[in-house]
Amino acid sequence: MCEIIFSRIFLGFPVLLLWMAGGPTHASCPLELNPPRVVVRYGDSVSVTCSTSSTDHEGMGWEATFGGTGFEQEVNVVTWTVDSLTDWTIKPKCYVTLNDSNQPSKVLPVILYKIPDSVSISVLRHSGAMVEGTEYQLQCDIQNMAPLQNLVVKWYKGNEPLYNVTYSNVSKTPVDVSDTLMISPSRHDDGAQYRCRAELDLGPEGPQPHPTVTSEPLSITVHYKPLINASRVPVRIPVFRGYPEELVCEAEGHPQPRIQWLYDPAKPVSEAGGNLTVFEAGLYNCTATNDVGTSFIVVEVVLNEDYLPLIAGFVAFMVVVISVIFVFIYSIYYKNNKMGRYSLKKAKLSSTPNGNVAQNGGRDTLLPMTQLSQPNIYVLSLMFSLKDKKRQQMDKIYVFKVTVNIGIYLLDIINMVKGLFEFLTLGVLVFTGGPTHASFPLELNPPRVVVRYGDSVSVNCSTSSTDHEGMGWEATFGGTGFEQNVSIVTWTVDNLTDWTIEPKCYVTLNDSNQPSKVLPVILYKIPDSVSISVLRHSGPMVEGTEYQLQCDIQNMAPLQNLVVKWYKGNEPLYNVTYSNVSKTPVDVSATLMISPSRHDDGAQYRCRAELDLGPEGPQPPIIMTSEPLHFTVFYPPTFSRPEAETLDIGVGEEITLNCMATGKPIPLYSWQSSHVKEAIFSPPSEVPGTYTCTASNQIGKISKTFTVNPKPKGGRAFVSNHSSLWSCQAGPSRNSTRLSTQTIVDLIKVCKKMENYFLKWIGTFCMFCTVSGEGCSLELKPSRVVVGFGEPVSVSCEASRPVRVLGWESAIGAAHTQQDRAVQWKVDSLIDWIEEPICYGVFFTAPRQCEEKLNLILYKTPDSVTISSTNHTGPMLEGKEYQLLCDVQNIAPVQYLTLRWYRGQTEVYNHSFSDLTPASPVQVSSILLITPTKADNGAQYKCVAQLDLGPEGPQPPPSVTSEPLNVSVHYPPSFLSPEAETLDIGVGDEITLNCTATGSPSPVYSWQSSDPKEKMEDQPVFTSSSLLPGTYTCISYNKIGKKSKQFIIKTKS
């Protein structure tokens, strides 16, 4: 478009009316741009010429923020040139000043483009394997590209295009773009690779083909519930009595399903490898289970009677009956009426049977005889030996001989042999593809290559042909072209990086044939890393529970040559191979299901990625092994001697009850006894009865019974009065395993210290009831303790009335006393997260026993607190929403944690975790959504992890603060005073035009004037004493946007 601009403001009124009315004007625009439109890569050079066809002009020039030429007189061509174009909003304008004061102009359309810094694909809010049927959101992040309106985002699954996205928003400056794709993977998508591609369609003036940047492929692993193969196991199966039937249950799923049969345990079955052999009718349930779900099928086995013996017996019976009938008919009828001797007479060879040719006992019998025609195939002889009753000799022999027409059949045989030869010849042509040379004239040395990514490779191709014109290599890299009169050519690449390369050697023969041979190339890459982890679990494992280990192998190729090997210690467990073919690098995850036992406590699991590239590959095969994964397995207690024990004791004898148990965590012990009250002895004796020891931990518990029977001695006997329940503590605690690292309860030690006749009169059997809380005469000082991990702790337990035994029950620091009214629980370094110290007392008066549990809080400050921006790097844009993530590592107890978010010194959000209950250290995170403004440019965000442990905890509460996250916000320019300004000046007055604007990045300035002869510097403040009246426009811009402001200069009247 050519614009008419008046450079004089004092035009005559009639001329103005003519211009507004549309005439008279020039017939056409006198300016021509070459090229008329330019597409330039950011930072590249550009050059455009502007010429005029007018012959009545004063001069012409270019106006532009960069590369402007100014007004050049008496020229017909001016050139706009920029060595490095970086102005996103540039609008170069060519103008010509005519002799009649008109000034036509043309704006050059400029598209400045920038290819993305990076294109990446990820799964939003998810990591690890996907589950069939669940929706996931893939995100394609395109960093720092322009212009937005020319961008096309293309999604692919493998090589199949899925979806294209275009953008109608116009943005000339670089932006970050994110596009999403919703997928709901099926089992057929397991191992699929998704990619996104950013393509800049810049029109015919732009580069061809279009600039594209493609993301690395995202390989997905899909887990899906088992699907039972119904064709192998019908829902109804008949079985004959006494015959077994095998039920085959097969299922497909990922991870590999576990097959289990459910049936009546009373039925006789045999199970092996997922197959069930049944002998009786009933319902049998096949269940296939994996981490995703469960499928089952119920098979009804029905009992059928075996009628085969009955059928066989019936058939045998009918055979016997029919045989009897046949013998009867033969004996009575056929023998007497049909059998006999016949005399052949009056033989006549004719085409019709003759009569009366044989006699038998005077009876004539017709024997039909027909003369055979010629030609015939076989020679047929018929002899009748007619013997006289009185003499044994042959009277007459009639022989009929036929001949064979051999000629016809010889001709058929020849034709058959000819057809067979033609068939064999055709078969040779079909399998070989036509007549070929006697041998293939090309040989590759080596015939197959295995190359590491980035390494060099060299292969010779030679020919045995002597009648050829030349030969060569065709390849995307290292091709030689056609070389004449040579017998050997070499394909060489110094740095092989093409994953799909297929070099082909060819030879051109003199008969115009061109045999060729493709070189098999395997380009491999060892993994960047191999790591092992436990899916959806952290901390110790529990015996008998199933867990899934995952081996992650990053960025390796080719997939089909990968073998993943699992090890427990040095014991190989399982190998995984891959049938999917992928030449390019992929991320691979292999899983292993385990069900650890107590023997696996402390075991180390490893996975190994091995590239088996065949004999041409490196030997031994390339191996990369993960760091070992150490297991801690928790399991319930078990006794070394689990069976109940019975012991006989006499008066005055000592006895030891051993309740040792193994378990993890270390078991806690308690004792209970039910016994009969005995007579008072002097000296005192042990109390007979039943003693039950219970060993427990957080996984389970187990009990063992000791029965102590009295053994009379010296006429003394035990007198039974009544029974009671009691709890007797022997040694320093109430259980056998907290006796200074021993697990032996020595009951006699307690009883010998009770040598008080008053106590013997009220009972020697420790009859008391147990209470806690109110009414208990125990006081803990302090009653609530907050201790840092690994720090010392000390608590006193005091009794307010006389006490028989006072002690602490604890995994660490157990103590007791039998004299004082105070006992102290003390640990030099507390590291047991499940410690629950209990103070107990055994009193002389009711309540006889009570206990107080110490409110103990063991805490640990975080190892680290970090803050980051999720799914984004670099400066933020004003008005766009972003996510900040705060990660807190290894903190306990989490229910006392408060995460506080700060912007500068101002708290903007806090997040508590009171709904969580674990006592041991965990990892937690918190997310803060922000929409930054220009005021946030340079702001610092931080998060503080604070443990508020109550008044007994440290003051002020312990806290750990993250390093600050400095936020850089980009925003478009804005003027300090955006409205237009009107200024009056007199002749010679100095005037200042202030166009200062704020923006990030810092704005760049350009000035436009109604007077093309006025030269103005690209500065925000312009001062001059020679400005002419008119309109002056200041443009301030950066990569985010631009703003303009007008200054109207008038002459003072």
Side-chain angles (χ1 to χ4, degrees):
M1 178 180 292
C2 194
E3 302 171 357
I4 304 297
I5 300 178
F6 286 84
S7 61
R8 303 288 187 270
I9 62 175
F10 298 108
L11 289 172
F13 185 70
V15 177
L16 180 60
L17 288 178
L18 286 174
W19 178 72
M20 295 177 64
T25 62
H26 295 274
S28 62
C29 183
L31 294 174
E32 182 181 354
L33 303 179
N34 185 24
R37 179 175 178 265
V38 291
V39 177
V40 187
R41 181 168 177 168
Y42 181 83
D44 282 1
S45 62
V46 61
S47 181
V48 178
T49 60
C50 176
S51 60
T52 179
S53 58
S54 171
T55 57
D56 55 343
H57 65 281
E58 298 176 0
M60 58 192 302
W62 281 95
E63 284 184 2
T65 53
F66 296 94
T69 62
F71 182 75
E72 297 183 16
Q73 295 179 337
E74 299 178 353
V75 296
N76 292 326
V77 177
V78 286
T79 301
W80 174 67
T81 301
V82 178
D83 293 332
S84 177
L85 188 58
T86 58
D87 185 353
W88 296 104
T89 58
I90 197 167
K91 289 184 178 179
K93 183 170 64 175
C94 179
Y95 63 91
V96 59
T97 302
L98 305 178
N99 290 333
D100 59 3
S101 300
N102 286 327
Q103 194 181 64
S105 66
K106 236 181 193 179
V107 175
L108 172 68
V110 177
I111 296 179
L112 187 59
Y113 75 92
K114 181 184 181 302
I115 62 174
D117 290 345
S118 66
V119 177
S120 60
I121 186 173
S122 60
V123 186
L124 285 182
R125 296 177 293 278
H126 179 77
S127 62
M130 298 181 176
V131 177
E132 181 183 44
T134 304
E135 276 199 337
Y136 299 90
Q137 191 173 25
L138 306 185
Q139 178 167 298
C140 182
D141 292 311
I142 303 164
Q143 300 290 328
N144 205 21
M145 62 72 55
L148 177 61
Q149 59 272 21
N150 295 90
L151 174 65
V152 182
V153 179
K154 297 183 177 182
W155 288 90
Y156 294 86
K157 182 173 75 173
N159 292 318
E160 173 192 358
L162 298 178
Y163 185 59
N164 292 353
V165 182
T166 58
Y167 295 86
S168 58
N169 298 340
V170 176
S171 173
K172 290 188 174 183
T173 56
V175 292
D176 294 341
V177 184
S178 294
D179 184 56
T180 58
L181 176 70
M182 296 300 298
I183 64 170
S184 180
S186 69
R187 60 189 62 207
H188 307 295
D189 294 324
D190 185 34
Q193 291 186 336
Y194 285 82
R195 295 175 292 118
C196 66
R197 175 178 294 169
E199 182 174 313
L200 279 173
D201 186 358
L202 299 162
E205 297 84 3
Q208 301 297 330
H210 301 156
T212 60
V213 179
T214 305
S215 69
E216 288 293 324
L218 174 69
S219 300
I220 65 170
T221 300
V222 182
H223 284 182
Y224 47 91
K225 67 180 293 186
L227 179 64
I228 296 177
N229 186 356
S231 63
R232 298 297 306 273
V233 53
V235 296
R236 184 181 178 88
I237 297 179
V239 59
F240 291 104
R241 188 186 302 276
Y243 293 89
E245 182 69 25
E246 186 180 47
L247 308 182
V248 179
C249 187
E250 295 178 351
E252 179 191 7
H254 193 194
Q256 183 67 33
R258 301 177 299 280
I259 304 297
Q260 183 181 13
W261 284 95
L262 303 176
Y263 47 86
D264 185 355
K267 294 184 180 298
V269 298
S270 174
E271 186 173 356
N275 298 340
L276 190 72
T277 303
V278 300
F279 300 86
E280 294 182 4
L283 296 177
Y284 299 85
N285 185 330
C286 172
T287 302
T289 305
N290 63 12
D291 292 343
V292 181
T294 300
S295 298
F296 68 90
I297 185 171
V298 178
V299 181
E300 182 183 9
V301 177
V302 295
L303 188 64
N304 287 352
E305 293 295 335
D306 189 3
Y307 296 103
L308 186 61
L310 296 177
I311 296 173
F314 177 77
V315 170
F317 173 76
M318 292 304 298
V319 169
V320 171
V321 171
I322 292 172
S323 300
V324 170
I325 294 174
F326 177 82
V327 171
F328 177 79
I329 293 174
Y330 174 83
S331 302
I332 302 302
Y333 174 74
Y334 187 83
K335 184 176 181 180
N336 295 330
N337 292 280
K338 296 294 182 181
M339 295 182 65
R341 296 181 179 273
Y342 293 86
S343 299
L344 187 64
K345 67 179 183 177
K346 300 178 182 180
K348 296 179 179 180
L349 299 178
S350 63
S351 59
T352 58
N354 54 6
N356 300 326
V357 296
Q359 287 187 339
N360 178 27
R363 297 192 303 273
D364 291 336
T365 301
L366 294 177
L367 292 178
M369 302 178 66
T370 303
Q371 184 177 6
L372 300 177
S373 61
Q374 293 185 359
N376 295 298
I377 299 175
Y378 303 100
V379 177
L380 184 64
S381 297
L382 176 64
M383 295 183 177
F384 291 90
S385 298
L386 304 176
K387 299 181 180 179
D388 188 70
K389 291 183 179 179
K390 294 183 180 179
R391 54 189 178 90
Q392 302 293 331
Q393 65 179 14
M394 180 182 295
D395 292 331
K396 293 182 178 180
I397 298 177
Y398 290 88
V399 179
F400 298 89
K401 296 183 178 180
V402 298
T403 61
V404 179
N405 190 343
I406 300 175
I408 296 175
Y409 291 96
L410 285 175
L411 180 61
D412 289 342
I413 292 172
I414 292 171
N415 290 335
M416 182 179 69
V417 172
K418 180 181 179 182
L420 179 61
F421 177 80
E422 292 175 351
F423 173 78
L424 294 175
T425 303
L426 178 62
V428 170
L429 293 177
V430 168
F431 280 100
T432 61
T436 61
H437 294 272
S439 62
F440 198 78
L442 291 176
E443 182 181 354
L444 302 179
N445 186 24
R448 179 175 178 265
V449 291
V450 177
V451 188
R452 181 169 176 168
Y453 182 82
D455 282 1
S456 61
V457 61
S458 180
V459 178
N460 291 327
C461 176
S462 58
T463 179
S464 57
S465 171
T466 57
D467 56 343
H468 66 281
E469 298 177 6
M471 58 193 304
W473 281 95
E474 287 182 0
T476 53
F477 295 94
T480 63
F482 182 73
E483 298 184 14
Q484 294 182 334
N485 302 322
V486 296
S487 297
I488 185 169
V489 284
T490 302
W491 173 68
T492 301
V493 177
D494 293 332
N495 184 6
L496 187 57
T497 58
D498 185 352
W499 294 103
T500 58
I501 197 167
E502 291 185 348
K504 182 169 66 174
C505 179
Y506 63 91
V507 59
T508 302
L509 304 179
N510 291 332
D511 58 4
S512 300
N513 285 327
Q514 193 179 66
S516 63
K517 222 176 205 182
V518 174
L519 172 68
V521 176
I522 297 179
L523 187 59
Y524 72 90
K525 181 184 179 302
I526 62 175
D528 291 344
S529 65
V530 178
S531 60
I532 185 174
S533 60
V534 186
L535 286 183
R536 297 177 292 277
H537 179 77
S538 61
M541 299 181 175
V542 177
E543 182 181 44
T545 303
E546 282 198 328
Y547 298 91
Q548 190 174 25
L549 305 186
Q550 178 166 297
C551 182
D552 291 313
I553 303 163
Q554 300 292 325
N555 203 21
M556 62 71 55
L559 177 61
Q560 60 270 22
N561 294 88
L562 174 65
V563 181
V564 180
K565 297 184 176 182
W566 289 92
Y567 292 85
K568 183 173 76 172
N570 294 317
E571 174 192 357
L573 297 178
Y574 184 58
N575 291 352
V576 182
T577 58
Y578 295 87
S579 58
N580 298 341
V581 177
S582 174
K583 291 187 174 183
T584 56
V586 294
D587 294 340
V588 186
S589 294
T591 58
L592 176 70
M593 297 300 298
I594 64 168
S595 181
S597 69
R598 62 190 62 205
H599 307 296
D600 294 320
D601 184 37
Q604 292 184 345
Y605 279 76
R606 293 175 293 117
C607 66
R608 174 179 294 173
E610 182 175 306
L611 276 175
D612 187 0
L613 299 163
E616 297 86 359
Q619 299 299 327
I622 298 169
I623 293 174
M624 180 174 283
T625 306
S626 69
E627 290 293 323
L629 177 66
H630 297 265
F631 276 11
T632 298
V633 182
F634 281 5
Y635 50 92
T638 55
F639 292 118
S640 54
R641 298 177 58 187
E643 65 279 358
E645 297 185 29
T646 301
L647 303 95
D648 295 332
I649 61 171
V651 177
E653 293 181 351
E654 291 188 2
I655 190 170
T656 299
L657 307 183
N658 189 340
C659 187
M660 173 73 76
T662 58
K664 194 164 187 178
I666 297 173
L668 307 179
Y669 299 86
S670 63
W671 287 84
Q672 287 185 340
S673 173
S674 172
H675 66 92
V676 295
K677 186 178 180 181
E678 65 166 348
I680 298 176
F681 290 95
S682 180
S685 177
E686 295 74 20
V687 181
T690 301
Y691 299 84
T692 301
C693 171
T694 301
S696 61
N697 60 15
Q698 63 191 66
I699 309 303
K701 65 179 181 179
I702 190 171
S703 298
K704 178 179 179 179
T705 300
F706 298 86
T707 302
V708 180
N709 294 325
K711 182 169 61 176
K713 183 177 180 181
R716 298 183 179 182
F718 295 95
V719 181
S720 174
N721 289 338
H722 64 277
S723 63
S724 65
L725 291 175
W726 63 291
S727 179
C728 186
Q729 307 307 316
S733 77
R734 296 185 301 161
N735 59 72
S736 58
T737 62
R738 299 194 177 182
L739 248 173
S740 305
T741 74
Q742 296 184 9
T743 58
I744 308 300
V745 175
D746 196 345
L747 296 178
I748 193 61
K749 293 180 180 179
V750 174
C751 297
K752 282 192 172 182
K753 293 184 180 294
M754 295 182 180
E755 296 180 358
N756 187 307
Y757 285 101
F758 175 74
L759 293 178
K760 293 179 182 179
W761 280 105
I762 64 173
T764 60
F765 307 112
C766 304
M767 294 161 42
F768 28 69
C769 59
T770 301
V771 298
S772 63
E774 278 191 38
C776 184
S777 304
L778 299 176
E779 182 181 1
L780 303 181
K781 294 182 180 181
S783 59
R784 182 175 184 266
V785 179
V786 178
V787 188
F789 182 80
E791 294 181 359
V793 61
S794 177
V795 179
S796 177
C797 178
E798 299 179 1
S800 60
R801 57 192 175 101
V803 64
R804 183 191 306 276
V805 178
L806 184 63
W808 281 96
E809 176 185 341
S810 173
I812 305 173
H816 82 288
T817 180
Q818 294 179 343
Q819 291 133 3
D820 301 330
R821 289 194 184 183
V823 64
Q824 191 177 52
W825 176 68
K826 184 177 180 181
V827 177
D828 293 332
S829 177
L830 186 59
I831 56 174
D832 188 350
W833 293 104
I834 59 172
E835 180 64 271
E836 292 182 345
I838 298 175
C839 178
Y840 63 90
V842 180
F843 298 92
F844 294 97
T845 58
R848 300 303 180 91
Q849 178 172 328
C850 66
E851 61 184 31
E852 284 287 349
K853 181 179 177 181
L854 175 63
N855 187 354
L856 174 64
I857 297 175
L858 182 60
Y859 74 90
K860 181 185 182 300
T861 57
D863 290 345
S864 65
V865 178
T866 57
I867 184 174
S868 60
S869 175
T870 63
N871 301 321
H872 178 77
T873 58
M876 299 180 179
L877 296 182
E878 182 182 40
K880 186 177 178 181
E881 191 175 70
Y882 298 90
Q883 281 187 349
L884 303 186
L885 178 67
C886 180
D887 282 317
V888 182
Q889 300 286 337
N890 210 18
I891 187 172
V894 70
Q895 57 267 34
Y896 294 97
L897 171 65
T898 302
L899 271 181
R900 303 184 185 277
W901 286 90
Y902 290 87
R903 179 185 178 274
Q905 301 300 321
T906 305
E907 183 176 340
V908 293
Y909 178 64
N910 63 71
H911 183 184
S912 64
F913 299 85
S914 57
D915 54 335
L916 303 178
T917 58
S920 54
V922 294
Q923 174 184 342
V924 293
S925 60
S926 175
I927 291 178
L928 176 67
L929 292 174
I930 63 170
T931 304
T933 65
K934 62 178 68 178
D936 292 316
N937 188 32
Q940 288 189 338
Y941 284 82
K942 61 183 178 181
C943 63
V944 178
Q946 180 175 302
L947 279 173
D948 189 0
L949 300 163
E952 297 83 3
Q955 298 300 328
S959 63
V960 177
T961 305
S962 69
E963 290 292 326
L965 175 68
N966 294 296
V967 174
S968 175
V969 182
H970 281 183
Y971 53 91
S974 62
F975 294 110
L976 301 179
S977 55
E979 64 278 356
E981 297 183 25
T982 301
L983 301 97
D984 295 332
I985 62 170
V987 178
D989 289 349
E990 186 178 77
I991 190 170
T992 299
L993 306 183
N994 191 344
C995 182
T996 303
T998 60
S1000 180
S1002 298
V1004 178
Y1005 299 88
S1006 67
W1007 290 86
Q1008 292 180 352
S1009 168
S1010 56
D1011 183 3
K1013 297 180 180 179
E1014 183 70 49
K1015 300 298 182 180
M1016 306 182 71
E1017 296 180 358
D1018 296 337
Q1019 298 295 328
V1021 180
F1022 183 76
T1023 302
S1024 176
S1025 58
S1026 61
L1027 285 181
L1028 296 176
T1031 301
Y1032 297 85
T1033 303
C1034 172
I1035 301 173
S1036 174
Y1037 58 91
N1038 60 15
K1039 66 167 64 176
I1040 309 302
K1042 69 177 180 178
K1043 291 289 178 67
S1044 61
K1045 179 179 178 179
Q1046 284 188 336
F1047 297 87
I1048 302 172
I1049 309 299
K1050 294 182 178 180
T1051 304
K1052 290 181 181 179
S1053 58

